[in-house]
Each structure stands twice: as C-alpha cells, then as structure tokens.
Amino acid sequence: MSRPERPPLGQRPPVLEMIGVDKTFNGDVVALNAMSLTVNQGDFISLLGPSGCGKSTALRLIAGLSLPSRGKIAWAGGQGENDLGVVFQEPTLMPWATVSENVWLPFRLRGQPYAAVKDDVLEALKLVGLEKFQNAYPRELSGGMKMRVSIARAMVTKPRLILMDEPFAALDEITRFRLNNDLLKLKEAIGCTVIFVTHSVFESVFLSDRIVVMAARPGRVIREVIVPAPYPRDEEFRTSADYAALCREASAALHEAMGEHA
Amino acid sequence: MSLTDTRATAAEPVALDAEDLRRLRLQRFDKIGKWLLPLAVLILTIIGWDRLVVWNDIPHYILPGPGLVWTTLVTDWAMLFEALLVTLQITMMALAVAVIGGVGLAVLFTQSRLVEMSFYPYAVILQVTPIVAIAPLIFIYVDSRTAGLLMCAWLVAFFPVLSNTTLGLNSADHNLRDLFRIYGATRWQTLRYLRLPSALPYFLGGLRIAGGLALIGAVVAEYVAGTGGIGSGLAFRILEAGYRLNIPRMFAALLLIAVTGVVIFAGLSFLSHMLLRKWHESAIKRET
C-alpha cells in the first residue's frame, strides 16, 4: 500500500472552530496558548501530547465547562441542543441506574421519556455489543464493558461532536486494542466526528485521520500529523509498514514537543 | 492408596488445599460464632446475675434477679406496653420530622450557598447544646406535652440526617456533574437524577444514627417533662418505679427500651440494605 497524498480532508464542512484560544489560570499559569483548530464533519482528531500540554483543558473549553481567557470557540451554525457527547477517562456511569437507564440519560435530561427513545437506546447498546446487558447494573460489568456503556451514552443522541478524554487509558492493553477496533467500526457505522485525547502515539495513529501534537509549558499546538490511511482500519493496518512509519513520524513530533522544554 | 487412585483424584476438579480448608473453616466459624458467641455471653451473664443475687441474698429492692425482672415484665405488661407505645409514637414522629427537616435543610443548603453560610453554624450549635439543658425551656414555652416531647426528640435526631445528607448531596461524582452540565441539565434535574441518588447511602447512614437518637431524645424529654398519669411513656414509668423502689419494674422498662432501640436499628439497617443492595458497595457481598 503506497501512502496517498493528503486525503480530501478539506472538503468536509466545518463543525467547530477554535480561533486563537488562550486559557490562563489565576492570571499567570498558561494552560493553553493561542490554540487554533478547525474540526470538520467526520474528522477523527487526536490531541496527542505529554501531560500538562493543555489537551484536557482544550477539551473542557470545547465542552463549555470553562471559558477561554482569550480567543473564541465557534460552532458552525451556532450552538444547539445536540452538539456534544462526552466520554471521560473513567466510565462515569450512575451506579444506581441500569445500563439502559445510563444510556437514556442524555435524552432524559431533554425531557424525553424512555418509551420514546427506547429504540435509540437499544440500538446504541447493540452497536457497542451490550444489548444483552441492558438491565445490568454497572458494578456487574467489567472495566471494558463499562467503557462501552459510556461510549453508547455519548453517541446515543448522534451529537455533532464526541469528545473523548483518554477513555482507554485505564484499561489493559488487550481490552484497549479491542475497544480501539470497535470504536472505529462504530465511527464508520454512525459517521460521527470525534476529538480524542490520548498520550499514546500508537493509539492516535491507529484511530485518527488528524493528529494534533501538543507541547507543554505553555500548552500549545506544535504540529499536525495527517494519517492518510483509509478507513476501515483493522489489525492488518496495525502491523503494516505504513503504520510503523506514521508512528515514527508522530513519535518524532512528540519528542520535539517534549524536547523543547527539557 | 494405589497409583491409579492417585491419578483419578488428580483428574478431578482441583481438590481443596490446606489454605482453602482453613479459609472454609474460618468462614464456618464466623457464620456460627456471630450468633452463638453473643448468645453464650448473654446466657452466662444472666446465670451469673442470678447466682450473684441468690448466693449473696441481695434483697429485690436493691438488685432483683433476672427471674423477677421477667415476672414483673409479664405481670406489668399491660401498663408497660401502653407506655412503650407512647414512647414509640414520639420516637417515630420525631424521626419522621427529622427526616423531612434534615433532608429539606440539606437540599436547601446545597441549593443555596447563602442559606448554608447563614444557618449551618446554628444547626451545629443546636446539635452541640445538650438536650437536657434545652428541654426545660421547651416545656415552659410549649403547652402541648406531645409537641414538647416531639420537639426535644427532633432536636436530637435531625442533625445526623442533615449533616450526612449534605455530605452525600455534595459527593456526587465530579465527572457526572460535568456531564449533567454539558447536557444542559436544570438544577432540578441535577438534584433529582444525580445528587439525591448519590446522597442516598449517606442519608441512610444518618438515618440509622437518627433512629437511635430519636429514642434517646424521647426518653430524655420524658424525664424532664415528668408529668404522670395516663399517656405517660416508658421513661416516666422508670422514674415512677424508682420513687416507689420498684426496682424490678425499672429493670423491666429498661429492658423494653433497649429492645426497642435494637429493633429500630435493625429495621433501619434492613431498610438500608433493601434500598442499596442492587448497586451500593456497602450492601454487596464480595464474591470470592
């Protein structure tokens, strides 16, 4: 497989734009410096960088959980009710609610009764392979299964953008690989747009078509690596020479990011 | 044992090793001992008590034997049971009001920092002031005896509900709170679907303490109120029996109060178990 030139990323309509976004805490700690990023429909973007590079801060800003100190974050066509789905590093499920009740949550908070959205909830659970566990409680599930429920909850409303904050960091590698594969299948199935925070080079190359490499102190974007390999990607891609070359490239960018302040 | 026999056992599911056996033995011991040992202590205590009285010829107006206490309990049952119902009624009403007041205040506190900052110190002051010191004043200003008793019992019982529920409401998972914010949840939705369920285990812990305290509050208030006659609770019966040197009846009434306290605690523990058994760590048996 030869590496094609840049894929037609530019043809995708934008979803969200970050323009010169700064975030400082207490006026002097610069968490994020002049970050600009255009997220297009169907993009799978990884934010890759060492700890303290502001990748989680960027996610919180996009989620609206904190406000930029300078610059702006603009949603194409304005903000709406169904902009976001979020997956945290922890599964973050409500332990008192069953799996299906957890997945129902985004609808429930919009005032939609379970009966009205039951099909969507079951569909989402089916996509993550947990339709048989709809009446289970989170404590009865393994770590990987809990994460699947969390992913089902994030995508059940088919939001414009899904934010994932190192969702697989706490899982063992076997589970992590499987969830990586499944996440890509899911992405193909529902065509979602994802921003995925990670500190794993391998994960970012396998999953994304754009890797935004960030550096710390101050947190900033230093490079964007394009991963031109077509989807669907599978285990074959994970062992290909292309993959290895891309990992080297991303890794070099990451070293550059870490070297600058060493 | 022949060689073939050894092979046959080896092919079977792995036999229990010494450690497993030891663990099983310990488990069995725990299971039985949990009931048997306290029971043995009880029986030994009663026998010891009885012997102490008999061997030393202690007169019953100083220390009645367990047999006499039991007979008194049976003969005075009608009067004691009526008194128990009175005390129990005050206790239950106080507990109910403590739950309503405690949870209500806790919700108010978490919904408004202003209210919390203004009133929390006074909730603490009410709690740390001994009820025996406040009770006489209450009975001066409150005409209805029942209302006075209720107020005393409530004062003692509501604080654990308040402080535990406040803690619980504030201990909702931070990521879940963020998630609710991202999904644009209203204040009411966050309270109803996130904070209240998070607070449930804490509330139930507070409730178990409050149940015992409500009984203590009711009994202490009766001592202070001290009015006799019909419609008096167990505490008054104890006082009255004390004046008449009817020590066996004092013991019988005391026994009833203690049993009531245990029953309240067990009932609330059971309630807690039933409400939490599906999801909360405290109610889940380890599966190993």
Side-chain angles (χ1 to χ4, degrees), chain A residues 75-118:
Chain A
W75 288 85
Q79 268 178 283
E81 189 183 45
N82 195 22
D83 288 331
L84 281 170
V86 187
V87 181
F88 297 96
Q89 182 169 346
E90 307 291 324
T92 314
L93 304 176
M94 301 177 289
W96 54 84
T98 62
V99 164
S100 53
E101 283 168 344
N102 267 292
V103 176
W104 170 37
L105 181 73
F107 283 124
R108 191 184 203 181
L109 294 178
R110 284 185 210 162
Q112 306 218 32
Y114 185 70
V117 294
K118 190 175 176 224

mmCIF file of all heavy atoms in Angstrom, chain A residues 75-118:
data_model
loop_
_atom_site.group_PDB
_atom_site.id
_atom_site.type_symbol
_atom_site.label_atom_id
_atom_site.label_comp_id
_atom_site.label_asym_id
_atom_site.label_seq_id
_atom_site.Cartn_x
_atom_site.Cartn_y
_atom_site.Cartn_z
ATOM 1 N N TRP A 75 -19.196 27.394 17.028
ATOM 2 C CA TRP A 75 -19.859 26.246 16.410
ATOM 3 C C TRP A 75 -20.432 26.698 15.079
ATOM 4 O O TRP A 75 -21.065 27.751 15.014
ATOM 5 C CB TRP A 75 -20.987 25.726 17.297
ATOM 6 C CG TRP A 75 -20.512 25.025 18.522
ATOM 7 C CD1 TRP A 75 -20.177 25.602 19.703
ATOM 8 C CD2 TRP A 75 -20.317 23.626 18.685
ATOM 9 N NE1 TRP A 75 -19.782 24.647 20.605
ATOM 10 C CE2 TRP A 75 -19.866 23.415 19.999
ATOM 11 C CE3 TRP A 75 -20.481 22.515 17.843
ATOM 12 C CZ2 TRP A 75 -19.567 22.157 20.490
ATOM 13 C CZ3 TRP A 75 -20.202 21.262 18.339
ATOM 14 C CH2 TRP A 75 -19.743 21.082 19.651
ATOM 15 N N ALA A 76 -20.209 25.907 14.035
ATOM 16 C CA ALA A 76 -20.802 26.244 12.743
ATOM 17 C C ALA A 76 -22.312 26.231 12.883
ATOM 18 O O ALA A 76 -22.880 25.266 13.368
ATOM 19 C CB ALA A 76 -20.352 25.227 11.693
ATOM 20 N N GLY A 77 -22.939 27.334 12.498
ATOM 21 C CA GLY A 77 -24.391 27.409 12.598
ATOM 22 C C GLY A 77 -24.888 27.627 14.012
ATOM 23 O O GLY A 77 -26.064 27.432 14.289
ATOM 24 N N GLY A 78 -23.993 28.019 14.912
ATOM 25 C CA GLY A 78 -24.414 28.315 16.282
ATOM 26 C C GLY A 78 -24.550 27.066 17.133
ATOM 27 O O GLY A 78 -24.526 25.952 16.623
ATOM 28 N N GLN A 79 -24.683 27.304 18.460
ATOM 29 C CA GLN A 79 -24.786 26.169 19.371
ATOM 30 C C GLN A 79 -26.197 25.626 19.381
ATOM 31 O O GLN A 79 -27.166 26.362 19.203
ATOM 32 C CB GLN A 79 -24.392 26.597 20.781
ATOM 33 C CG GLN A 79 -22.917 26.384 21.058
ATOM 34 C CD GLN A 79 -22.550 26.855 22.431
ATOM 35 O OE1 GLN A 79 -22.422 28.050 22.656
ATOM 36 N NE2 GLN A 79 -22.381 25.921 23.336
ATOM 37 N N GLY A 80 -26.307 24.334 19.582
ATOM 38 C CA GLY A 80 -27.628 23.726 19.617
ATOM 39 C C GLY A 80 -27.770 22.783 20.794
ATOM 40 O O GLY A 80 -26.897 22.722 21.665
ATOM 41 N N GLU A 81 -28.865 22.040 20.806
ATOM 42 C CA GLU A 81 -29.142 21.143 21.907
ATOM 43 C C GLU A 81 -28.309 19.870 21.807
ATOM 44 O O GLU A 81 -27.952 19.264 22.798
ATOM 45 C CB GLU A 81 -30.635 20.788 21.882
ATOM 46 C CG GLU A 81 -31.112 20.038 23.088
ATOM 47 C CD GLU A 81 -32.569 19.644 22.976
ATOM 48 O OE1 GLU A 81 -32.956 19.150 21.897
ATOM 49 O OE2 GLU A 81 -33.306 19.837 23.951
ATOM 50 N N ASN A 82 -27.984 19.500 20.580
ATOM 51 C CA ASN A 82 -27.366 18.196 20.366
ATOM 52 C C ASN A 82 -25.938 18.315 19.848
ATOM 53 O O ASN A 82 -25.562 17.679 18.878
ATOM 54 C CB ASN A 82 -28.237 17.393 19.396
ATOM 55 C CG ASN A 82 -27.871 15.926 19.409
ATOM 56 O OD1 ASN A 82 -27.284 15.439 20.379
ATOM 57 N ND2 ASN A 82 -28.187 15.219 18.343
ATOM 58 N N ASP A 83 -25.147 19.188 20.477
ATOM 59 C CA ASP A 83 -23.794 19.404 19.995
ATOM 60 C C ASP A 83 -22.836 18.311 20.442
ATOM 61 O O ASP A 83 -21.971 17.900 19.685
ATOM 62 C CB ASP A 83 -23.269 20.753 20.521
ATOM 63 C CG ASP A 83 -23.946 21.906 19.822
ATOM 64 O OD1 ASP A 83 -24.349 21.729 18.663
ATOM 65 O OD2 ASP A 83 -24.076 22.984 20.430
ATOM 66 N N LEU A 84 -22.986 17.855 21.682
ATOM 67 C CA LEU A 84 -21.890 17.118 22.298
ATOM 68 C C LEU A 84 -22.271 15.780 22.912
ATOM 69 O O LEU A 84 -23.352 15.611 23.459
ATOM 70 C CB LEU A 84 -21.292 17.957 23.424
ATOM 71 C CG LEU A 84 -20.337 19.076 23.024
ATOM 72 C CD1 LEU A 84 -20.055 19.937 24.227
ATOM 73 C CD2 LEU A 84 -19.054 18.517 22.461
ATOM 74 N N GLY A 85 -21.338 14.857 22.812
ATOM 75 C CA GLY A 85 -21.335 13.654 23.636
ATOM 76 C C GLY A 85 -19.952 13.579 24.242
ATOM 77 O O GLY A 85 -18.987 14.005 23.619
ATOM 78 N N VAL A 86 -19.858 13.084 25.467
ATOM 79 C CA VAL A 86 -18.554 13.079 26.129
ATOM 80 C C VAL A 86 -18.252 11.708 26.735
ATOM 81 O O VAL A 86 -19.127 11.078 27.319
ATOM 82 C CB VAL A 86 -18.495 14.131 27.264
ATOM 83 C CG1 VAL A 86 -17.083 14.231 27.807
ATOM 84 C CG2 VAL A 86 -18.953 15.481 26.768
ATOM 85 N N VAL A 87 -17.004 11.269 26.578
ATOM 86 C CA VAL A 87 -16.534 10.074 27.272
ATOM 87 C C VAL A 87 -15.322 10.479 28.101
ATOM 88 O O VAL A 87 -14.369 11.041 27.563
ATOM 89 C CB VAL A 87 -16.147 8.958 26.281
ATOM 90 C CG1 VAL A 87 -15.679 7.723 27.036
ATOM 91 C CG2 VAL A 87 -17.313 8.621 25.367
ATOM 92 N N PHE A 88 -15.384 10.242 29.380
ATOM 93 C CA PHE A 88 -14.281 10.610 30.268
ATOM 94 C C PHE A 88 -13.305 9.450 30.419
ATOM 95 O O PHE A 88 -13.557 8.343 29.943
ATOM 96 C CB PHE A 88 -14.807 10.987 31.651
ATOM 97 C CG PHE A 88 -15.704 12.189 31.647
ATOM 98 C CD1 PHE A 88 -17.083 12.041 31.603
ATOM 99 C CD2 PHE A 88 -15.177 13.467 31.704
ATOM 100 C CE1 PHE A 88 -17.924 13.139 31.615
ATOM 101 C CE2 PHE A 88 -16.003 14.571 31.710
ATOM 102 C CZ PHE A 88 -17.383 14.406 31.664
ATOM 103 N N GLN A 89 -12.229 9.700 31.141
ATOM 104 C CA GLN A 89 -11.251 8.640 31.387
ATOM 105 C C GLN A 89 -11.873 7.515 32.213
ATOM 106 O O GLN A 89 -11.581 6.345 32.017
ATOM 107 C CB GLN A 89 -10.031 9.204 32.097
ATOM 108 C CG GLN A 89 -8.970 8.145 32.314
ATOM 109 C CD GLN A 89 -7.667 8.733 32.778
ATOM 110 O OE1 GLN A 89 -7.456 9.934 32.707
ATOM 111 N NE2 GLN A 89 -6.782 7.896 33.258
ATOM 112 N N GLU A 90 -12.735 7.905 33.156
ATOM 113 C CA GLU A 90 -13.496 6.913 33.918
ATOM 114 C C GLU A 90 -14.816 6.685 33.191
ATOM 115 O O GLU A 90 -15.293 7.589 32.513
ATOM 116 C CB GLU A 90 -13.806 7.444 35.324
ATOM 117 C CG GLU A 90 -12.593 7.919 36.086
ATOM 118 C CD GLU A 90 -11.683 6.775 36.460
ATOM 119 O OE1 GLU A 90 -12.210 5.697 36.761
ATOM 120 O OE2 GLU A 90 -10.459 6.953 36.398
ATOM 121 N N PRO A 91 -15.425 5.509 33.359
ATOM 122 C CA PRO A 91 -16.704 5.289 32.682
ATOM 123 C C PRO A 91 -17.792 6.285 33.109
ATOM 124 O O PRO A 91 -18.676 6.604 32.326
ATOM 125 C CB PRO A 91 -17.089 3.870 33.087
ATOM 126 C CG PRO A 91 -15.823 3.221 33.485
ATOM 127 C CD PRO A 91 -14.948 4.295 34.038
ATOM 128 N N THR A 92 -17.693 6.791 34.369
ATOM 129 C CA THR A 92 -18.616 7.825 34.832
ATOM 130 C C THR A 92 -20.074 7.432 34.617
ATOM 131 O O THR A 92 -20.856 8.167 34.038
ATOM 132 C CB THR A 92 -18.324 9.162 34.125
ATOM 133 O OG1 THR A 92 -16.925 9.390 34.140
ATOM 134 C CG2 THR A 92 -18.999 10.320 34.816
ATOM 135 N N LEU A 93 -20.423 6.231 35.071
ATOM 136 C CA LEU A 93 -21.816 5.803 34.999
ATOM 137 C C LEU A 93 -22.477 6.035 36.343
ATOM 138 O O LEU A 93 -21.804 6.111 37.363
ATOM 139 C CB LEU A 93 -21.884 4.318 34.644
ATOM 140 C CG LEU A 93 -21.173 3.920 33.353
ATOM 141 C CD1 LEU A 93 -21.221 2.410 33.164
ATOM 142 C CD2 LEU A 93 -21.783 4.628 32.168
ATOM 143 N N MET A 94 -23.789 6.145 36.322
ATOM 144 C CA MET A 94 -24.517 6.268 37.584
ATOM 145 C C MET A 94 -24.704 4.859 38.153
ATOM 146 O O MET A 94 -25.387 4.039 37.543
ATOM 147 C CB MET A 94 -25.872 6.923 37.342
ATOM 148 C CG MET A 94 -25.760 8.302 36.724
ATOM 149 S SD MET A 94 -27.370 9.048 36.370
ATOM 150 C CE MET A 94 -27.920 8.046 35.000
ATOM 151 N N PRO A 95 -24.096 4.568 39.305
ATOM 152 C CA PRO A 95 -24.119 3.183 39.803
ATOM 153 C C PRO A 95 -25.512 2.707 40.189
ATOM 154 O O PRO A 95 -25.761 1.513 40.226
ATOM 155 C CB PRO A 95 -23.205 3.234 41.039
ATOM 156 C CG PRO A 95 -23.130 4.666 41.428
ATOM 157 C CD PRO A 95 -23.324 5.459 40.168
ATOM 158 N N TRP A 96 -26.411 3.648 40.459
ATOM 159 C CA TRP A 96 -27.758 3.258 40.896
ATOM 160 C C TRP A 96 -28.685 2.990 39.717
ATOM 161 O O TRP A 96 -29.828 2.601 39.898
ATOM 162 C CB TRP A 96 -28.362 4.352 41.791
ATOM 163 C CG TRP A 96 -28.352 5.691 41.129
ATOM 164 C CD1 TRP A 96 -29.270 6.184 40.251
ATOM 165 C CD2 TRP A 96 -27.354 6.704 41.282
ATOM 166 N NE1 TRP A 96 -28.890 7.430 39.841
ATOM 167 C CE2 TRP A 96 -27.743 7.778 40.455
ATOM 168 C CE3 TRP A 96 -26.192 6.804 42.037
ATOM 169 C CZ2 TRP A 96 -26.981 8.949 40.368
ATOM 170 C CZ3 TRP A 96 -25.453 7.971 41.944
ATOM 171 C CH2 TRP A 96 -25.840 9.032 41.121
ATOM 172 N N ALA A 97 -28.214 3.250 38.510
ATOM 173 C CA ALA A 97 -29.070 3.098 37.342
ATOM 174 C C ALA A 97 -28.584 1.925 36.492
ATOM 175 O O ALA A 97 -27.394 1.620 36.459
ATOM 176 C CB ALA A 97 -29.059 4.376 36.518
ATOM 177 N N THR A 98 -29.524 1.277 35.814
ATOM 178 C CA THR A 98 -29.145 0.161 34.955
ATOM 179 C C THR A 98 -28.418 0.687 33.723
ATOM 180 O O THR A 98 -28.372 1.897 33.475
ATOM 181 C CB THR A 98 -30.379 -0.618 34.482
ATOM 182 O OG1 THR A 98 -31.186 0.270 33.701
ATOM 183 C CG2 THR A 98 -31.185 -1.152 35.646
ATOM 184 N N VAL A 99 -27.870 -0.228 32.951
ATOM 185 C CA VAL A 99 -27.152 0.137 31.735
ATOM 186 C C VAL A 99 -28.049 0.971 30.808
ATOM 187 O O VAL A 99 -27.656 2.043 30.351
ATOM 188 C CB VAL A 99 -26.652 -1.138 31.029
ATOM 189 C CG1 VAL A 99 -26.258 -0.842 29.598
ATOM 190 C CG2 VAL A 99 -25.476 -1.732 31.798
ATOM 191 N N SER A 100 -29.268 0.506 30.580
ATOM 192 C CA SER A 100 -30.117 1.244 29.645
ATOM 193 C C SER A 100 -30.523 2.604 30.218
ATOM 194 O O SER A 100 -30.622 3.586 29.487
ATOM 195 C CB SER A 100 -31.346 0.430 29.243
ATOM 196 O OG SER A 100 -32.029 -0.016 30.377
ATOM 197 N N GLU A 101 -30.709 2.668 31.527
ATOM 198 C CA GLU A 101 -31.032 3.973 32.132
ATOM 199 C C GLU A 101 -29.866 4.945 31.994
ATOM 200 O O GLU A 101 -30.055 6.140 31.794
ATOM 201 C CB GLU A 101 -31.390 3.795 33.608
ATOM 202 C CG GLU A 101 -32.785 3.241 33.832
ATOM 203 C CD GLU A 101 -33.019 2.806 35.277
ATOM 204 O OE1 GLU A 101 -32.035 2.652 36.034
ATOM 205 O OE2 GLU A 101 -34.179 2.607 35.631
ATOM 206 N N ASN A 102 -28.652 4.417 32.105
ATOM 207 C CA ASN A 102 -27.475 5.260 31.923
ATOM 208 C C ASN A 102 -27.393 5.804 30.502
ATOM 209 O O ASN A 102 -27.079 6.973 30.297
ATOM 210 C CB ASN A 102 -26.213 4.470 32.258
ATOM 211 C CG ASN A 102 -25.796 4.640 33.705
ATOM 212 O OD1 ASN A 102 -25.386 5.724 34.102
ATOM 213 N ND2 ASN A 102 -25.932 3.589 34.495
ATOM 214 N N VAL A 103 -27.686 4.935 29.534
ATOM 215 C CA VAL A 103 -27.603 5.378 28.147
ATOM 216 C C VAL A 103 -28.743 6.335 27.819
ATOM 217 O O VAL A 103 -28.610 7.232 26.993
ATOM 218 C CB VAL A 103 -27.610 4.153 27.202
ATOM 219 C CG1 VAL A 103 -27.615 4.587 25.749
ATOM 220 C CG2 VAL A 103 -26.394 3.277 27.476
ATOM 221 N N TRP A 104 -29.847 6.165 28.510
ATOM 222 C CA TRP A 104 -31.013 7.038 28.307
ATOM 223 C C TRP A 104 -30.731 8.466 28.782
ATOM 224 O O TRP A 104 -31.352 9.426 28.314
ATOM 225 C CB TRP A 104 -32.198 6.414 29.048
ATOM 226 C CG TRP A 104 -33.435 7.235 29.178
ATOM 227 C CD1 TRP A 104 -33.955 8.092 28.233
ATOM 228 C CD2 TRP A 104 -34.327 7.286 30.298
ATOM 229 N NE1 TRP A 104 -35.112 8.644 28.708
ATOM 230 C CE2 TRP A 104 -35.363 8.174 29.951
ATOM 231 C CE3 TRP A 104 -34.343 6.641 31.533
ATOM 232 C CZ2 TRP A 104 -36.417 8.450 30.832
ATOM 233 C CZ3 TRP A 104 -35.396 6.912 32.398
ATOM 234 C CH2 TRP A 104 -36.409 7.808 32.057
ATOM 235 N N LEU A 105 -29.773 8.642 29.694
ATOM 236 C CA LEU A 105 -29.575 9.926 30.377
ATOM 237 C C LEU A 105 -29.609 11.167 29.484
ATOM 238 O O LEU A 105 -30.345 12.117 29.790
ATOM 239 C CB LEU A 105 -28.273 9.891 31.189
ATOM 240 C CG LEU A 105 -27.991 11.178 31.966
ATOM 241 C CD1 LEU A 105 -28.923 11.306 33.165
ATOM 242 C CD2 LEU A 105 -26.549 11.245 32.431
ATOM 243 N N PRO A 106 -28.841 11.240 28.377
ATOM 244 C CA PRO A 106 -28.870 12.467 27.579
ATOM 245 C C PRO A 106 -30.275 12.804 27.070
ATOM 246 O O PRO A 106 -30.648 13.980 27.031
ATOM 247 C CB PRO A 106 -27.940 12.165 26.407
ATOM 248 C CG PRO A 106 -27.209 10.937 26.740
ATOM 249 C CD PRO A 106 -27.910 10.243 27.848
ATOM 250 N N PHE A 107 -31.034 11.785 26.718
ATOM 251 C CA PHE A 107 -32.415 12.022 26.292
ATOM 252 C C PHE A 107 -33.272 12.459 27.472
ATOM 253 O O PHE A 107 -34.079 13.378 27.376
ATOM 254 C CB PHE A 107 -33.020 10.734 25.712
ATOM 255 C CG PHE A 107 -32.558 10.408 24.330
ATOM 256 C CD1 PHE A 107 -31.976 9.188 24.052
ATOM 257 C CD2 PHE A 107 -32.723 11.318 23.292
ATOM 258 C CE1 PHE A 107 -31.557 8.872 22.770
ATOM 259 C CE2 PHE A 107 -32.318 11.011 22.005
ATOM 260 C CZ PHE A 107 -31.730 9.788 21.750
ATOM 261 N N ARG A 108 -33.062 11.782 28.593
ATOM 262 C CA ARG A 108 -33.864 12.054 29.778
ATOM 263 C C ARG A 108 -33.720 13.510 30.211
ATOM 264 O O ARG A 108 -34.691 14.160 30.583
ATOM 265 C CB ARG A 108 -33.378 11.138 30.904
ATOM 266 C CG ARG A 108 -34.274 11.126 32.107
ATOM 267 C CD ARG A 108 -33.646 10.262 33.176
ATOM 268 N NE ARG A 108 -34.656 9.787 34.110
ATOM 269 C CZ ARG A 108 -34.369 9.016 35.158
ATOM 270 N NH1 ARG A 108 -33.132 8.627 35.367
ATOM 271 N NH2 ARG A 108 -35.315 8.629 35.970
ATOM 272 N N LEU A 109 -32.492 14.014 30.130
ATOM 273 C CA LEU A 109 -32.257 15.394 30.544
ATOM 274 C C LEU A 109 -32.884 16.380 29.561
ATOM 275 O O LEU A 109 -33.004 17.558 29.857
ATOM 276 C CB LEU A 109 -30.753 15.660 30.690
ATOM 277 C CG LEU A 109 -30.091 14.879 31.818
ATOM 278 C CD1 LEU A 109 -28.602 15.149 31.881
ATOM 279 C CD2 LEU A 109 -30.740 15.213 33.161
ATOM 280 N N ARG A 110 -33.258 15.896 28.389
ATOM 281 C CA ARG A 110 -34.004 16.757 27.454
ATOM 282 C C ARG A 110 -35.498 16.555 27.604
ATOM 283 O O ARG A 110 -36.276 16.996 26.776
ATOM 284 C CB ARG A 110 -33.637 16.395 26.025
ATOM 285 C CG ARG A 110 -32.317 16.896 25.614
ATOM 286 C CD ARG A 110 -32.176 16.555 24.154
ATOM 287 N NE ARG A 110 -30.792 16.357 23.849
ATOM 288 C CZ ARG A 110 -30.369 15.728 22.762
ATOM 289 N NH1 ARG A 110 -31.249 15.236 21.910
ATOM 290 N NH2 ARG A 110 -29.104 15.613 22.545
ATOM 291 N N GLY A 111 -35.878 15.794 28.617
ATOM 292 C CA GLY A 111 -37.299 15.603 28.875
ATOM 293 C C GLY A 111 -37.937 14.527 28.022
ATOM 294 O O GLY A 111 -39.157 14.495 27.867
ATOM 295 N N GLN A 112 -37.138 13.643 27.431
ATOM 296 C CA GLN A 112 -37.734 12.596 26.614
ATOM 297 C C GLN A 112 -37.939 11.330 27.436
ATOM 298 O O GLN A 112 -36.990 10.798 27.990
ATOM 299 C CB GLN A 112 -36.807 12.276 25.456
ATOM 300 C CG GLN A 112 -36.451 13.514 24.657
ATOM 301 C CD GLN A 112 -36.373 13.212 23.180
ATOM 302 O OE1 GLN A 112 -37.080 12.369 22.677
ATOM 303 N NE2 GLN A 112 -35.506 13.914 22.483
ATOM 304 N N PRO A 113 -39.185 10.847 27.496
ATOM 305 C CA PRO A 113 -39.447 9.622 28.262
ATOM 306 C C PRO A 113 -38.781 8.411 27.606
ATOM 307 O O PRO A 113 -38.510 8.422 26.408
ATOM 308 C CB PRO A 113 -40.966 9.489 28.222
ATOM 309 C CG PRO A 113 -41.403 10.309 27.066
ATOM 310 C CD PRO A 113 -40.395 11.398 26.884
ATOM 311 N N TYR A 114 -38.527 7.400 28.444
ATOM 312 C CA TYR A 114 -37.783 6.237 27.961
ATOM 313 C C TYR A 114 -38.483 5.579 26.777
ATOM 314 O O TYR A 114 -37.836 5.189 25.806
ATOM 315 C CB TYR A 114 -37.591 5.231 29.095
ATOM 316 C CG TYR A 114 -36.720 4.064 28.687
ATOM 317 C CD1 TYR A 114 -35.364 4.255 28.470
ATOM 318 C CD2 TYR A 114 -37.257 2.803 28.512
ATOM 319 C CE1 TYR A 114 -34.557 3.204 28.071
ATOM 320 C CE2 TYR A 114 -36.457 1.741 28.115
ATOM 321 C CZ TYR A 114 -35.111 1.948 27.904
ATOM 322 O OH TYR A 114 -34.307 0.905 27.501
ATOM 323 N N ALA A 115 -39.812 5.474 26.868
ATOM 324 C CA ALA A 115 -40.549 4.773 25.818
ATOM 325 C C ALA A 115 -40.298 5.410 24.449
ATOM 326 O O ALA A 115 -40.192 4.718 23.440
ATOM 327 C CB ALA A 115 -42.043 4.791 26.147
ATOM 328 N N ALA A 116 -40.142 6.740 24.439
ATOM 329 C CA ALA A 116 -39.997 7.446 23.162
ATOM 330 C C ALA A 116 -38.643 7.184 22.509
ATOM 331 O O ALA A 116 -38.503 7.283 21.291
ATOM 332 C CB ALA A 116 -40.206 8.945 23.375
ATOM 333 N N VAL A 117 -37.629 6.884 23.327
ATOM 334 C CA VAL A 117 -36.282 6.762 22.763
ATOM 335 C C VAL A 117 -35.698 5.362 22.975
ATOM 336 O O VAL A 117 -34.519 5.143 22.753
ATOM 337 C CB VAL A 117 -35.333 7.805 23.383
ATOM 338 C CG1 VAL A 117 -35.759 9.202 22.994
ATOM 339 C CG2 VAL A 117 -35.276 7.655 24.886
ATOM 340 N N LYS A 118 -36.580 4.453 23.395
ATOM 341 C CA LYS A 118 -36.119 3.108 23.707
ATOM 342 C C LYS A 118 -35.344 2.489 22.549
ATOM 343 O O LYS A 118 -34.285 1.877 22.736
ATOM 344 C CB LYS A 118 -37.339 2.239 24.048
ATOM 345 C CG LYS A 118 -36.976 0.900 24.614
ATOM 346 C CD LYS A 118 -38.215 0.135 25.050
ATOM 347 C CE LYS A 118 -37.782 -1.231 25.518
ATOM 348 N NZ LYS A 118 -38.613 -2.324 25.040
#
